Each structure stands twice: as structure tokens, then as C-alpha cells.
Amino acid sequence: MIAANNPRLKTWIEVPENSDFPIQNIPFGIIKPAGKEPRPATRIGDTVIDLSTLTDFGYFDELDIDNYGVFLAPVLNDFMALGAPIWSAVRNRLSELFNIDNTELQNNEGAMANCLCGINDVEMMLPVEVGDYTDFYSSIEHATNVGIMFRDPENALLPNWKHIPVGYHGRSSSIVVSGTEIHRPMGQTKGDDMKAPSFGPSRLVDFELETAFITGKSSKLGEHVSIEETDDYIFGMVLFNDLSARDIQKWEYVPLGPFLSKSFGSVISPWIVTMEALQPFMVEGPKQEPAVLPYLEFTGKKNIDINLEVSLSPEDGDDTIICNSNFKFMYWNMNQQLAHHTINGCNINIGDMYGSGTISGPTPDSYGSMLELSWKGTKPIKLSDGSERKFIQDNDTITMRGHAQNSNYRIGFGECVTKILPAK
Ligand code: CA
């Protein structure tokens, strides 16, 4: 067992009941304390721990890291570049420092005052500089629902779907951190009954409930990352709201796929939960039938049991939970996605991000987009204030939450929050 995952570990930091961040999590993020530069941090309960000051006080000295500057950087890319053994060593060292029996830090008042502060005293920043962003389409329920709505209910999945983890190259410049407000996009749309397209604010803004993984290791152009090697490349995961303008998408996507309908803002949760922390929650995925080609064959459990939830709140209104899904439903796993991504020799870089695709489950309350929940606008969703939604309205806030839970503890992601503002 990974030392930091020991369910018996207790911490001297207060952890509220059902916190996403027990001592067994130790995620990585970038905080900006008031009046200071952004720097790497972790979180236990509602306390954030500044890794740059822990370094200053010498708490990482024994780790023998080549470049301690990584703990002063405004993004985690250089830290990830140190490699998987160092990610693991730092997480284990943090687990040790905050163990209830360890007095190294808790008895050092000067260090305590500098290294720890409340989550509400910092601003959360984008944790990595995202180089390239790829979005997959790996939920069989989502792909089937979209196929039924837009094509042919008898042949909802296209012939390639069960053979290829379908994906497209997205836009990284508009990936932003939770809490960033996004304006409704302007664009071209054309209704079926219209002769020519018109221009104006999108009327069908939607969320897509996704997770994303981030690579912490690069590969060379021309190389493949074999499926056995993929675990070494994946640093961790975040929640991901891949905002979509369905009316713009419908008009523009032929024949090359989505373009401006997906690039007006894509929002991630601020804490990267490591693959090590998620390791106790690995489960079998759905049976893949027909058998996949050999380069996509994998061994072991590669899906993860992560409960996912989406809520919507109107301006000054209460939250209504509109979707409960789970990452374990994904047909294609992250290892297959990465092996497929590099099979043509495409190189990947540290900080690249890969969206899972909308994560829909088998039941109508588990669909991961408004498009599916309201079935193309034919079944409006009731909110707790009595109002109805087919798609997202101006000043609505979408909140995604996710956590894995066993009888010992919960490993969570916190929140991914997005407010949609009127078009500019
Ligand atoms: Ca997507």
C-alpha cells in the first residue's frame, strides 16, 4: 500500500466531516495568498499548505530534489517534470508532516504561521499551464444518446465508436479555473426552418460534465506510449466543465467537428487529485465488445468509482441537483485514450490536458449535459424555485462536484463552479 493512502492515518489539522480533503488526499494546486505571488500548495480539510514556505523552512530537504525552484513556480509544470517518483515522495512527505504523531511542524510556530492558512484566505489559480488540450467522447451512454437524438435511433453509435477512443484537438487558451465567469458566446446559428444563418447570442448554452487528466511526462515525436507505460504519464485528474453552445455546434460542426461552440471557456476544478490518491477506488470498466485491437488491450482495473454531481442555481437562488453520474461508466479508460493518442507518433507534453468526454450514466438522471437531461429541450428540468430549464440561462451558476468514497474515507475534487453571464 502507498504510505499516504493508509486509512488509519489521522492528521493534527482539523478536517470537517465529509471533507473532500482528508490527509489521504494531498492534492496539488496553485494558490495566491493576498499580496503574494502564486505558488504550489496542497490542502487538508479547509487548510491550505504553502509548499514554497515549507521548502524555505527545509521540510523537503531530505527528498533530495534537483530543483527546489519548482515550489516557487506559478504553475505545477516544473514540479510534474521531476517525475512520478518525486510526485510520490512529496505526497508521502506531506502525509508524514501532517500526521497527528509528527511534531516537526506543529511545534514550530514560526513555520506554522507562514505555511498554513484558510482556504478562504487565498485565491485559487489555474494549476498548470495547459499546452495542448484534447477532448474525448468516451461515454457509451452519452454517444448513444446523442446518436439517437441527432441521427438514427437504430444505429446510434457510428461504426468506429467501439474500435477507437474518438476525440478531437481542442483549444487550451480558454481553459480557466473554477470561479471564472463566462459570457454567453455570440455566433452563427441556423435553425432547420431558416434559409440562411443568423448571428447573435447562442440560445442553447450547455455544460458537459467531464473529468480531465493531466500528463506529467512528455514523449518524443514519433514514439508511441504503450498502454503499459501510460500510468507513468498521468499525474492526476480534475473536474471539467466543457461548456458548449449547441446551436452554434449544430451549424458549424460539419465536416470537421466542433470549433467555436466549444472554445468560449472550459472550466476545471483547482486541485489536481493524484492517481495515487485515487488508486484505492479503481474498478472494472464495462466489457468492451467487440474486442479492441491489441494496442488498446489493457490489464487490471482502469476505471475509477468517482461519484459526480451537477447542480444549477439561478442568480440568488438555491442549488438544485440536476445530475448524478459516475466516472466508472466510461467505456474507454484514460490509459486507452493516451495509448491511442500517441499511436501515430504524436508527442505529448507536460501539462497537456485530456477531457473524458461527457460522462453520462445509464439512467435519465445521470445524463451529463442539459442536451440529454432535457432531451433536446423536449423535457424541461424543474428547479427548486419552480422555474424550468431546457438549457443554461444568463446568470445561472453550474457547480460540479466529485468524490470517491469507501468505508474508510472520501477522496474528493472540491468544486468546479461556472457562472454564465449575458453575451457581450
Ligand atoms: Ca466535451
Side-chain angles (χ1 to χ4, degrees):
M1 183 171 55
I2 298 159
N5 289 357
N6 185 342
R8 285 192 298 277
L9 292 178
K10 288 198 169 18
T11 175
W12 48 269
I13 291 186
E14 190 192 330
V15 179
E17 199 178 349
N18 289 329
S19 170
D20 280 350
F21 305 100
I23 190 171
Q24 288 86 358
N25 193 339
I26 320 268
F28 293 97
I30 295 288
I31 57 168
K32 187 183 182 310
K36 294 182 180 171
E37 294 300 311
R39 71 266 321 271
T42 188
R43 172 174 179 175
I44 297 176
D46 293 332
T47 301
V48 291
I49 297 139
D50 178 341
L51 304 190
S52 73
T53 47
L54 279 184
T55 309
D56 290 344
F57 280 93
Y59 286 112
F60 291 144
D61 284 357
E62 65 187 56
L63 296 181
D64 199 20
I65 292 172
D66 286 343
N67 173 16
Y68 282 93
V70 302
F71 295 115
L72 302 169
V75 285
L76 294 169
N77 298 54
D78 290 345
F79 170 62
M80 292 191 287
L82 296 176
I86 297 294
W87 313 338
S88 187
V90 170
R91 182 166 170 270
N92 282 329
R93 174 62 176 148
L94 288 165
S95 167
E96 182 181 83
L97 266 181
F98 292 93
N99 187 311
I100 198 160
D101 299 324
N102 187 304
T103 56
E104 288 176 74
L105 178 57
Q106 55 175 319
N107 287 357
N108 182 342
E109 274 178 35
M112 287 269 283
N114 277 283
C115 300
L116 308 188
C117 67
I119 184 68
N120 295 325
D121 297 327
V122 298
E123 185 185 347
M124 294 308 303
M125 314 297 286
L126 197 65
V128 293
E129 185 180 347
V130 182
D132 274 308
Y133 155 52
T134 300
D135 196 20
F136 285 95
Y137 189 58
S138 289
S139 153
I140 193 165
E141 288 84 2
H142 173 68
T144 303
N145 288 339
V146 172
I148 292 172
M149 277 187 273
F150 291 101
R151 285 191 309 272
D152 173 10
E154 299 305 313
N155 297 289
L157 288 182
L158 287 168
N160 63 0
W161 199 89
K162 286 189 168 180
H163 299 278
I164 293 175
V166 171
Y168 71 96
H169 292 299
R171 181 84 195 161
S172 57
S173 66
S174 51
I175 293 174
V176 293
V177 73
S178 173
T180 308
E181 297 178 328
I182 304 289
H183 287 273
R184 177 177 298 273
M186 301 291 287
Q188 277 196 34
T189 59
K190 183 185 159 303
D192 291 336
D193 52 353
M194 291 160 64
K195 281 215 171 67
S198 60
F199 176 77
S202 165
R203 280 162 302 172
L204 306 182
V205 170
D206 199 356
F207 66 84
E208 288 188 336
L209 169 63
E210 301 193 26
T211 60
F213 69 89
I214 291 159
T215 42
K217 183 176 177 179
S218 58
S219 68
K220 289 200 179 75
L221 184 65
E223 277 181 2
H224 325 144
V225 177
S226 75
I227 198 151
E228 292 79 19
E229 296 168 318
T230 48
D231 281 335
D232 299 340
Y233 285 77
I234 303 176
F235 177 71
M237 294 173 71
V238 291
L239 301 175
F240 181 45
N241 182 352
D242 189 24
L243 290 168
S244 301
R246 300 298 180 194
D247 43 357
I248 296 173
Q249 183 178 354
K250 183 166 180 271
W251 172 232
E252 76 175 0
Y253 88 102
V254 184
L256 289 185
F259 184 36
L260 304 183
S261 57
K262 301 269 190 177
S263 62
F264 60 95
S266 310
V267 188
I268 67 171
S269 55
W271 296 103
I272 305 176
V273 177
T274 65
M275 297 319 294
E276 284 202 347
L278 292 165
Q279 203 261 336
F281 305 94
M282 305 301 291
V283 293
E284 304 275 356
K287 184 167 168 52
Q288 296 183 329
E289 191 77 60
V292 298
L293 286 168
Y295 79 95
L296 294 170
E297 283 173 5
F298 64 97
T299 53
K301 297 173 177 172
K302 295 295 180 194
N303 276 41
I304 316 176
D305 185 357
I306 303 171
N307 300 291
L308 299 166
E309 167 191 300
V310 183
S311 65
L312 194 153
S313 60
E315 185 148 51
D316 306 321
D318 291 333
D319 249 7
T320 305
I321 295 172
I322 57 173
C323 162
N324 280 291
S325 189
N326 195 304
F327 186 69
K328 71 182 176 188
F329 298 131
M330 298 306 280
Y331 189 86
W332 295 103
N333 61 53
M334 297 184 286
N335 303 77
Q336 291 178 309
Q337 291 170 340
L338 194 55
H340 182 66
H341 204 307
T342 59
I343 198 63
N344 67 343
C346 172
N347 51 325
I348 57 161
N349 287 307
I350 293 167
D352 287 354
M353 209 182 96
Y354 311 78
S356 58
T358 305
I359 304 168
S360 293
T363 56
D365 62 336
S366 65
Y367 296 165
S369 63
M370 294 295 277
L371 176 70
E372 294 162 271
L373 289 165
S374 76
W375 206 256
K376 239 168 115 181
T378 60
K379 296 177 184 169
I381 299 161
K382 262 229 149 51
L383 302 184
S384 59
D385 66 358
S387 66
E388 289 186 338
R389 291 289 184 282
K390 296 172 179 173
F391 289 91
I392 308 295
Q393 293 187 358
D394 287 347
N395 302 310
D396 283 351
T397 297
I398 307 133
T399 302
M400 296 178 173
R401 300 180 182 87
H403 70 266
Q405 176 96 50
N406 59 23
S407 57
N408 297 308
Y409 56 80
R410 160 190 290 215
I411 297 293
F413 291 82
E415 293 182 337
C416 178
V417 182
T418 312
K419 183 175 183 183
I420 299 296
L421 300 180
K424 262 189 179 170

PDB file of all heavy atoms in Angstrom, residues 257-277:
ATOM      1  N   GLY A 257     -15.981  18.857 -37.206  1.00  0.00           N
ATOM      2  CA  GLY A 257     -16.209  18.765 -35.767  1.00  0.00           C
ATOM      3  C   GLY A 257     -16.382  20.122 -35.131  1.00  0.00           C
ATOM      4  O   GLY A 257     -16.369  21.158 -35.800  1.00  0.00           O
ATOM      5  N   PRO A 258     -16.564  20.156 -33.796  1.00  0.00           N
ATOM      6  CA  PRO A 258     -16.844  21.422 -33.114  1.00  0.00           C
ATOM      7  C   PRO A 258     -15.672  22.394 -33.191  1.00  0.00           C
ATOM      8  O   PRO A 258     -14.520  21.975 -33.227  1.00  0.00           O
ATOM      9  CB  PRO A 258     -17.111  21.000 -31.669  1.00  0.00           C
ATOM     10  CG  PRO A 258     -16.591  19.614 -31.524  1.00  0.00           C
ATOM     11  CD  PRO A 258     -16.537  19.011 -32.892  1.00  0.00           C
ATOM     12  N   PHE A 259     -15.998  23.672 -33.208  1.00  0.00           N
ATOM     13  CA  PHE A 259     -14.961  24.713 -33.309  1.00  0.00           C
ATOM     14  C   PHE A 259     -15.284  25.794 -32.285  1.00  0.00           C
ATOM     15  O   PHE A 259     -14.947  25.665 -31.125  1.00  0.00           O
ATOM     16  CB  PHE A 259     -14.929  25.217 -34.766  1.00  0.00           C
ATOM     17  CG  PHE A 259     -13.865  26.221 -35.093  1.00  0.00           C
ATOM     18  CD1 PHE A 259     -12.611  26.166 -34.521  1.00  0.00           C
ATOM     19  CD2 PHE A 259     -14.125  27.241 -36.011  1.00  0.00           C
ATOM     20  CE1 PHE A 259     -11.627  27.102 -34.849  1.00  0.00           C
ATOM     21  CE2 PHE A 259     -13.151  28.179 -36.340  1.00  0.00           C
ATOM     22  CZ  PHE A 259     -11.907  28.103 -35.763  1.00  0.00           C
ATOM     23  N   LEU A 260     -15.998  26.850 -32.682  1.00  0.00           N
ATOM     24  CA  LEU A 260     -16.258  27.964 -31.765  1.00  0.00           C
ATOM     25  C   LEU A 260     -17.306  27.624 -30.699  1.00  0.00           C
ATOM     26  O   LEU A 260     -17.409  28.314 -29.686  1.00  0.00           O
ATOM     27  CB  LEU A 260     -16.718  29.190 -32.569  1.00  0.00           C
ATOM     28  CG  LEU A 260     -15.763  29.638 -33.678  1.00  0.00           C
ATOM     29  CD1 LEU A 260     -16.297  30.884 -34.351  1.00  0.00           C
ATOM     30  CD2 LEU A 260     -14.358  29.884 -33.144  1.00  0.00           C
ATOM     31  N   SER A 261     -18.058  26.561 -30.921  1.00  0.00           N
ATOM     32  CA  SER A 261     -19.084  26.166 -29.950  1.00  0.00           C
ATOM     33  C   SER A 261     -18.491  25.582 -28.683  1.00  0.00           C
ATOM     34  O   SER A 261     -19.186  25.388 -27.694  1.00  0.00           O
ATOM     35  CB  SER A 261     -20.017  25.130 -30.588  1.00  0.00           C
ATOM     36  OG  SER A 261     -19.279  24.013 -31.045  1.00  0.00           O
ATOM     37  N   LYS A 262     -17.183  25.304 -28.698  1.00  0.00           N
ATOM     38  CA  LYS A 262     -16.542  24.646 -27.552  1.00  0.00           C
ATOM     39  C   LYS A 262     -15.363  25.440 -27.008  1.00  0.00           C
ATOM     40  O   LYS A 262     -14.708  24.981 -26.078  1.00  0.00           O
ATOM     41  CB  LYS A 262     -16.032  23.266 -27.974  1.00  0.00           C
ATOM     42  CG  LYS A 262     -17.103  22.334 -28.497  1.00  0.00           C
ATOM     43  CD  LYS A 262     -17.684  21.502 -27.389  1.00  0.00           C
ATOM     44  CE  LYS A 262     -18.565  20.411 -27.960  1.00  0.00           C
ATOM     45  NZ  LYS A 262     -19.080  19.549 -26.906  1.00  0.00           N
ATOM     46  N   SER A 263     -15.053  26.594 -27.613  1.00  0.00           N
ATOM     47  CA  SER A 263     -13.806  27.274 -27.227  1.00  0.00           C
ATOM     48  C   SER A 263     -14.046  28.599 -26.524  1.00  0.00           C
ATOM     49  O   SER A 263     -13.138  29.405 -26.401  1.00  0.00           O
ATOM     50  CB  SER A 263     -12.924  27.485 -28.462  1.00  0.00           C
ATOM     51  OG  SER A 263     -13.589  28.309 -29.396  1.00  0.00           O
ATOM     52  N   PHE A 264     -15.260  28.849 -26.022  1.00  0.00           N
ATOM     53  CA  PHE A 264     -15.532  30.139 -25.365  1.00  0.00           C
ATOM     54  C   PHE A 264     -15.281  30.088 -23.861  1.00  0.00           C
ATOM     55  O   PHE A 264     -15.482  31.065 -23.151  1.00  0.00           O
ATOM     56  CB  PHE A 264     -16.955  30.617 -25.674  1.00  0.00           C
ATOM     57  CG  PHE A 264     -18.053  29.681 -25.228  1.00  0.00           C
ATOM     58  CD1 PHE A 264     -18.694  29.858 -24.005  1.00  0.00           C
ATOM     59  CD2 PHE A 264     -18.433  28.618 -26.039  1.00  0.00           C
ATOM     60  CE1 PHE A 264     -19.698  29.003 -23.595  1.00  0.00           C
ATOM     61  CE2 PHE A 264     -19.444  27.748 -25.627  1.00  0.00           C
ATOM     62  CZ  PHE A 264     -20.076  27.935 -24.405  1.00  0.00           C
ATOM     63  N   GLY A 265     -14.810  28.952 -23.377  1.00  0.00           N
ATOM     64  CA  GLY A 265     -14.497  28.828 -21.949  1.00  0.00           C
ATOM     65  C   GLY A 265     -14.716  27.390 -21.521  1.00  0.00           C
ATOM     66  O   GLY A 265     -15.784  26.823 -21.763  1.00  0.00           O
ATOM     67  N   SER A 266     -13.694  26.778 -20.941  1.00  0.00           N
ATOM     68  CA  SER A 266     -13.782  25.415 -20.426  1.00  0.00           C
ATOM     69  C   SER A 266     -13.162  25.467 -19.037  1.00  0.00           C
ATOM     70  O   SER A 266     -12.071  25.988 -18.870  1.00  0.00           O
ATOM     71  CB  SER A 266     -13.000  24.452 -21.318  1.00  0.00           C
ATOM     72  OG  SER A 266     -13.356  24.630 -22.674  1.00  0.00           O
ATOM     73  N   VAL A 267     -13.875  24.933 -18.051  1.00  0.00           N
ATOM     74  CA  VAL A 267     -13.548  25.274 -16.665  1.00  0.00           C
ATOM     75  C   VAL A 267     -13.099  24.028 -15.897  1.00  0.00           C
ATOM     76  O   VAL A 267     -13.762  22.984 -15.957  1.00  0.00           O
ATOM     77  CB  VAL A 267     -14.787  25.882 -15.980  1.00  0.00           C
ATOM     78  CG1 VAL A 267     -14.431  26.437 -14.601  1.00  0.00           C
ATOM     79  CG2 VAL A 267     -15.396  26.980 -16.851  1.00  0.00           C
ATOM     80  N   ILE A 268     -11.985  24.138 -15.164  1.00  0.00           N
ATOM     81  CA  ILE A 268     -11.511  22.995 -14.369  1.00  0.00           C
ATOM     82  C   ILE A 268     -11.532  23.324 -12.881  1.00  0.00           C
ATOM     83  O   ILE A 268     -11.420  24.482 -12.473  1.00  0.00           O
ATOM     84  CB  ILE A 268     -10.095  22.517 -14.782  1.00  0.00           C
ATOM     85  CG1 ILE A 268      -9.013  23.557 -14.465  1.00  0.00           C
ATOM     86  CG2 ILE A 268     -10.050  22.138 -16.256  1.00  0.00           C
ATOM     87  CD1 ILE A 268      -7.598  23.042 -14.646  1.00  0.00           C
ATOM     88  N   SER A 269     -11.651  22.278 -12.065  1.00  0.00           N
ATOM     89  CA  SER A 269     -11.535  22.441 -10.616  1.00  0.00           C
ATOM     90  C   SER A 269     -10.066  22.683 -10.282  1.00  0.00           C
ATOM     91  O   SER A 269      -9.170  22.230 -11.002  1.00  0.00           O
ATOM     92  CB  SER A 269     -12.075  21.202  -9.898  1.00  0.00           C
ATOM     93  OG  SER A 269     -11.436  20.026 -10.364  1.00  0.00           O
ATOM     94  N   PRO A 270      -9.783  23.418  -9.193  1.00  0.00           N
ATOM     95  CA  PRO A 270      -8.413  23.894  -8.973  1.00  0.00           C
ATOM     96  C   PRO A 270      -7.428  22.879  -8.400  1.00  0.00           C
ATOM     97  O   PRO A 270      -6.225  23.060  -8.528  1.00  0.00           O
ATOM     98  CB  PRO A 270      -8.596  25.049  -7.986  1.00  0.00           C
ATOM     99  CG  PRO A 270      -9.873  24.764  -7.282  1.00  0.00           C
ATOM    100  CD  PRO A 270     -10.746  24.032  -8.265  1.00  0.00           C
ATOM    101  N   TRP A 271      -7.900  21.825  -7.755  1.00  0.00           N
ATOM    102  CA  TRP A 271      -6.988  20.874  -7.121  1.00  0.00           C
ATOM    103  C   TRP A 271      -6.817  19.640  -7.995  1.00  0.00           C
ATOM    104  O   TRP A 271      -7.805  18.993  -8.355  1.00  0.00           O
ATOM    105  CB  TRP A 271      -7.510  20.456  -5.739  1.00  0.00           C
ATOM    106  CG  TRP A 271      -7.571  21.594  -4.781  1.00  0.00           C
ATOM    107  CD1 TRP A 271      -8.682  22.279  -4.389  1.00  0.00           C
ATOM    108  CD2 TRP A 271      -6.456  22.210  -4.113  1.00  0.00           C
ATOM    109  NE1 TRP A 271      -8.335  23.273  -3.514  1.00  0.00           N
ATOM    110  CE2 TRP A 271      -6.978  23.260  -3.325  1.00  0.00           C
ATOM    111  CE3 TRP A 271      -5.079  21.976  -4.096  1.00  0.00           C
ATOM    112  CZ2 TRP A 271      -6.164  24.072  -2.532  1.00  0.00           C
ATOM    113  CZ3 TRP A 271      -4.269  22.785  -3.307  1.00  0.00           C
ATOM    114  CH2 TRP A 271      -4.810  23.816  -2.539  1.00  0.00           C
ATOM    115  N   ILE A 272      -5.588  19.307  -8.329  1.00  0.00           N
ATOM    116  CA  ILE A 272      -5.330  18.092  -9.103  1.00  0.00           C
ATOM    117  C   ILE A 272      -5.192  16.940  -8.116  1.00  0.00           C
ATOM    118  O   ILE A 272      -4.286  16.918  -7.277  1.00  0.00           O
ATOM    119  CB  ILE A 272      -4.049  18.207  -9.943  1.00  0.00           C
ATOM    120  CG1 ILE A 272      -4.115  19.443 -10.848  1.00  0.00           C
ATOM    121  CG2 ILE A 272      -3.853  16.937 -10.786  1.00  0.00           C
ATOM    122  CD1 ILE A 272      -2.835  19.679 -11.646  1.00  0.00           C
ATOM    123  N   VAL A 273      -6.119  16.004  -8.195  1.00  0.00           N
ATOM    124  CA  VAL A 273      -6.084  14.819  -7.336  1.00  0.00           C
ATOM    125  C   VAL A 273      -5.198  13.789  -8.032  1.00  0.00           C
ATOM    126  O   VAL A 273      -5.385  13.485  -9.210  1.00  0.00           O
ATOM    127  CB  VAL A 273      -7.509  14.274  -7.096  1.00  0.00           C
ATOM    128  CG1 VAL A 273      -7.459  13.000  -6.268  1.00  0.00           C
ATOM    129  CG2 VAL A 273      -8.360  15.332  -6.394  1.00  0.00           C
ATOM    130  N   THR A 274      -4.208  13.284  -7.301  1.00  0.00           N
ATOM    131  CA  THR A 274      -3.212  12.412  -7.931  1.00  0.00           C
ATOM    132  C   THR A 274      -3.793  11.025  -8.203  1.00  0.00           C
ATOM    133  O   THR A 274      -4.721  10.578  -7.533  1.00  0.00           O
ATOM    134  CB  THR A 274      -1.967  12.246  -7.040  1.00  0.00           C
ATOM    135  OG1 THR A 274      -2.350  11.565  -5.844  1.00  0.00           O
ATOM    136  CG2 THR A 274      -1.342  13.585  -6.692  1.00  0.00           C
ATOM    137  N   MET A 275      -3.205  10.345  -9.165  1.00  0.00           N
ATOM    138  CA  MET A 275      -3.636   8.982  -9.464  1.00  0.00           C
ATOM    139  C   MET A 275      -3.358   8.072  -8.271  1.00  0.00           C
ATOM    140  O   MET A 275      -4.082   7.108  -8.044  1.00  0.00           O
ATOM    141  CB  MET A 275      -2.949   8.457 -10.726  1.00  0.00           C
ATOM    142  CG  MET A 275      -3.284   9.233 -12.001  1.00  0.00           C
ATOM    143  SD  MET A 275      -5.015   9.726 -12.175  1.00  0.00           S
ATOM    144  CE  MET A 275      -5.779   8.122 -12.339  1.00  0.00           C
ATOM    145  N   GLU A 276      -2.312   8.391  -7.497  1.00  0.00           N
ATOM    146  CA  GLU A 276      -2.035   7.589  -6.302  1.00  0.00           C
ATOM    147  C   GLU A 276      -3.169   7.697  -5.295  1.00  0.00           C
ATOM    148  O   GLU A 276      -3.564   6.697  -4.689  1.00  0.00           O
ATOM    149  CB  GLU A 276      -0.717   8.042  -5.645  1.00  0.00           C
ATOM    150  CG  GLU A 276       0.496   7.553  -6.387  1.00  0.00           C
ATOM    151  CD  GLU A 276       1.750   7.511  -5.519  1.00  0.00           C
ATOM    152  OE1 GLU A 276       1.750   8.093  -4.412  1.00  0.00           O
ATOM    153  OE2 GLU A 276       2.729   6.894  -5.966  1.00  0.00           O
ATOM    154  N   ALA A 277      -3.702   8.888  -5.111  1.00  0.00           N
ATOM    155  CA  ALA A 277      -4.790   9.059  -4.145  1.00  0.00           C
ATOM    156  C   ALA A 277      -6.044   8.322  -4.594  1.00  0.00           C
ATOM    157  O   ALA A 277      -6.847   7.869  -3.775  1.00  0.00           O
ATOM    158  CB  ALA A 277      -5.091  10.547  -3.954  1.00  0.00           C
TER     159      ALA A 277
END
